[in-house]
Amino acid sequence: TTYREVIGDEKKANITLNRKMLAELAITEPCSYNSVLCAMKVLKENGLVPSESPKLPDHSPVEDVNVLV
């Protein structure tokens, strides 16, 4: 697994750790970093990581509150 793949899969899996935090985990908490990699691997193997990154939410005003339910 390359660093590029890790970053790409992390975004696709909607894991919200930025590159700096991933690097910090890899250095100071290798077991935690490995857990993140394992979680991404399991998600990927089970087809739970989409082929594209999730779209950012639309933060425009909502006219009808029932749309949110």
Side-chain angles (χ1 to χ4, degrees):
T1 303
T2 65
Y3 181 74
R4 174 180 268 175
E5 291 171 335
V6 169
I7 294 299
D9 288 345
E10 179 237 354
K11 287 180 182 179
K12 291 176 188 174
N14 207 16
I15 296 174
T16 56
L17 294 173
N18 62 28
R19 292 172 189 237
K20 184 176 180 179
M21 287 307 302
L22 282 174
E24 187 72 22
L25 274 178
I27 294 168
T28 61
E29 295 286 336
C31 290
S32 298
Y33 178 74
N34 192 38
S35 295
V36 171
L37 293 183
C38 288
M40 286 190 289
K41 181 180 177 184
V42 168
L43 290 171
K44 196 173 185 180
E45 287 174 351
N46 290 303
L48 300 174
V49 175
S51 58
E52 297 179 9
S53 297
K55 295 181 180 178
L56 295 173
D58 180 16
H59 294 290
S60 59
V62 176
E63 293 181 18
D64 183 12
V65 180
N66 293 322
V67 174
L68 301 174
V69 182

